[in-house]
Amino acid sequence: MNTTFLAHLQSELDGLKSAGLFKSERVITTPQGATVRTADGREVINLCANNYLGLSSHPKVIEAAHEALRTHGYGMSSVRFICGTQDLHKTLEHRIARFVGCEDAILYAAAFDANGGLFEPLLGEQDAIVSDELNHASIIDGIRLSKASRWRYKHNDMADLERCLKEAREKGARFVMVFSDGVFSMDGTIAQLDTMRALCDRHDALLAIDECHASGFMGRTGRGTHEHRGVFGKIDVITGTFGKALGGASGGFTAARREVVELLRQRSRPYLFSNTLMPAIAGASIAVLDLLEGSTALRDKLADNTAYFRRAIVEAGFEVKPGEHPIVPIMVYDAVKAQQLAARLLELGVYVVGFFFPVVPKGQARIRVQMSAVHDRHHLEAAVKAFAQAGKELGLVK
Ligand SMILES: *Cc1c(COP(=O)(O)O)cnc(C)c1O
């Protein structure tokens, strides 16, 4: 291979390392759970998976995956419109649409693809997209692929959102779509969907949300941020993932009115030109929805764990971003300290990750802890104890 090119790549990598921005991956050797084993054989409490409901290794989910593997095979070997649609895929589309309160839904290999393939088919150059500045990377990429004009409002700032809506209308946009994460992953901010719905109605805009950190557990019956905010059934387009609370394997979806979904099936490029979910994931995802529609026990336990941990970690002297989401950002501010805290916690048997610039703003480094329904009280007590000890050692708490 061209040696100048390789040398160039190596210098890019070295640059990332010297800037402290290089990401390394920790190897674990067990399924996701309240604890995981790391490659050096230690068992540690896991506080950094998106396994909100503990379904990644739930026996019923694993059994349903085995069953679908047995009855429907391993792979599709085709995109949907050639010969890649099984009854399981159609059933899952109906079930997820019903679960999130929409008429129909379309599956994608990932939520990244659902967002990447959403805007370009639906909106053209006469249209406008209004987007929260902290929206997920996949939304930003999806918007870039469309020809619509763009407005960006300050994170979660409703006055600034209204400014954008007015400007887009004054410029004569044909259709306006507001897009926001339902829950923002670095802060656990819950979008003000009730206010947003009212603003969108006032300015005749569509409201679309990404529910990756919400589907399955936000709201009284776990339907999502719209249920939590009292606007269930009133969101125009919902994208989401099966790779977090809803089983944790992979796969994404877009749910909306039938016309939206049908046009996406015709024109959405990640759908047209890429295989869909393996049958085992489709079958297991249906079992996940059976579980969640039958009982709110898991989301209730998650809510209990979240309330307990948020209270206990504050009592231990840490500052957290206030809120009620199972994402609990523990503020350290200093990037080096955040990394030291994460490293010490791992020694003490607690697996967490420090986040710092550019993932969060400069001077806003934090440990992002995520609660799960698989955690029992003793896991959380042990974690808080370890936080208190490491925090004292590093001079972060008294
Ligand atoms: C995780 C995430 C995605 C990507 O989901 P995948 O199904 O893993 O591609 C998209 N949007 C948001 C807000 C996310 O948190």
Side-chain angles (χ1 to χ4, degrees):
M1 199 170 180
N2 181 313
T3 51
T4 323
F5 180 61
L6 291 177
H8 162 69
L9 299 187
Q10 192 56 54
S11 87
E12 291 286 310
L13 290 167
D14 293 343
L16 288 173
K17 279 184 188 151
S18 61
L21 302 177
F22 190 84
K23 296 175 209 55
S24 34
E25 299 173 359
R26 190 169 301 288
V27 177
I28 60 179
T29 59
T30 55
Q32 291 289 5
T35 62
V36 289
R37 199 170 320 115
T38 52
D40 58 7
R42 298 178 54 231
E43 185 162 316
V44 292
I45 298 169
N46 185 7
L47 293 184
C48 52
N50 299 309
N51 188 20
Y52 295 110
L53 298 173
L55 296 177
S56 319
S57 21
H58 191 287
K60 287 210 168 120
V61 178
I62 293 172
E63 187 187 303
H66 275 292
E67 179 63 12
L69 190 56
R70 207 174 54 73
T71 57
H72 286 70
Y74 170 67
M76 293 313 302
S77 315
S78 168
V79 298
R80 288 284 298 270
F81 79 94
I82 301 178
C83 56
T85 300
Q86 288 173 330
D87 50 351
L88 288 177
H89 298 101
K90 295 313 291 180
T91 302
L92 179 56
E93 286 175 340
H94 292 138
R95 292 291 305 277
I96 191 66
R98 184 175 87 193
F99 188 78
V100 300
C102 291
E103 193 175 22
D104 200 357
I106 170 174
L107 300 178
Y108 288 86
F112 206 103
D113 291 330
N115 288 332
L118 178 71
F119 302 95
E120 188 255 345
L122 299 180
L123 300 167
E125 56 192 33
Q126 304 123 287
D127 305 318
I129 301 168
V130 180
S131 171
D132 187 292
E133 66 180 351
L134 292 192
N135 275 344
H136 189 263
S138 55
I139 300 163
I140 295 168
D141 286 7
I143 293 174
R144 278 190 192 137
L145 292 171
S146 86
K147 295 200 174 68
S149 55
R150 297 153 206 184
W151 270 266
R152 223 161 60 130
Y153 61 96
K154 289 200 201 87
H155 175 51
N156 200 30
D157 181 332
M158 296 296 101
D160 204 39
L161 167 59
E162 184 155 39
R163 172 189 65 81
C164 293
L165 282 166
K166 281 186 183 146
E167 286 181 18
R169 280 283 162 233
E170 277 158 19
K171 285 259 162 68
R174 179 183 56 172
F175 304 120
V176 179
M177 177 185 278
V178 172
F179 200 105
S180 173
D181 283 7
V183 171
F184 291 82
S185 62
M186 285 302 140
D187 299 87
T189 317
I190 302 168
Q192 303 170 60
L193 296 184
D194 42 353
T195 308
M196 294 174 74
R197 181 69 269 174
L199 286 174
C200 286
D201 288 347
R202 191 178 310 155
H203 298 278
D204 188 23
L206 301 159
L207 179 55
I209 59 175
D210 173 334
E211 286 281 88
C212 284
H213 286 281
S215 299
F217 59 95
M218 290 298 291
R220 196 179 51 81
T221 63
R223 304 311 168 103
T225 314
H226 51 352
E227 185 183 32
H228 180 81
R229 291 291 191 207
V231 287
F232 185 78
K234 296 186 180 158
I235 305 297
D236 297 303
V237 179
I238 297 176
T239 65
T241 184
F242 296 103
K244 289 179 176 136
L246 300 178
S250 64
F253 64 87
T254 298
R257 284 286 297 266
R258 178 185 55 77
E259 295 85 341
V260 173
V261 169
E262 282 196 344
L263 194 65
L264 291 175
R265 282 194 211 286
Q266 302 306 312
R267 293 208 182 135
S268 182
R269 293 163 69 82
Y271 181 81
L272 287 171
F273 298 107
S274 181
N275 273 12
T276 189
L277 309 187
M278 75 183 292
I281 295 179
S285 299
I286 294 166
V288 165
L289 296 176
D290 286 341
L291 266 173
L292 300 185
E293 286 178 351
S295 158
T296 62
L298 291 173
R299 59 112 11 234
D300 296 345
K301 184 171 177 208
L302 173 63
D304 275 358
N305 281 349
T306 300
Y308 168 78
F309 186 84
R310 280 182 170 274
R311 203 172 51 241
I313 200 76
V314 168
E315 278 167 14
F318 287 92
E319 180 192 337
V320 305
K321 289 239 175 204
E324 47 195 314
H325 195 271
I327 291 172
V328 188
I330 299 174
M331 300 308 293
V332 180
Y333 299 104
D334 180 73
V336 175
K337 283 256 150 105
Q339 283 172 282
Q340 287 171 339
L341 179 58
R344 181 63 181 131
L345 282 165
L346 192 66
E347 288 171 4
L348 296 172
V350 178
Y351 183 15
V352 293
V353 175
F355 290 85
F356 41 90
F357 185 79
V359 179
V360 296
K362 279 207 171 106
Q364 293 282 311
R366 66 198 63 180
I367 304 284
R368 180 186 69 172
V369 159
Q370 290 168 284
M371 292 295 107
S372 168
V374 280
H375 293 130
D376 288 321
R377 190 53 54 90
H378 69 91
H379 296 117
L380 300 182
E381 283 168 358
V384 171
K385 206 169 146 221
F387 261 98
Q389 181 183 333
K392 275 180 201 148
E393 288 171 7
L394 290 167
L396 294 167
V397 300
K398 283 191 228 83

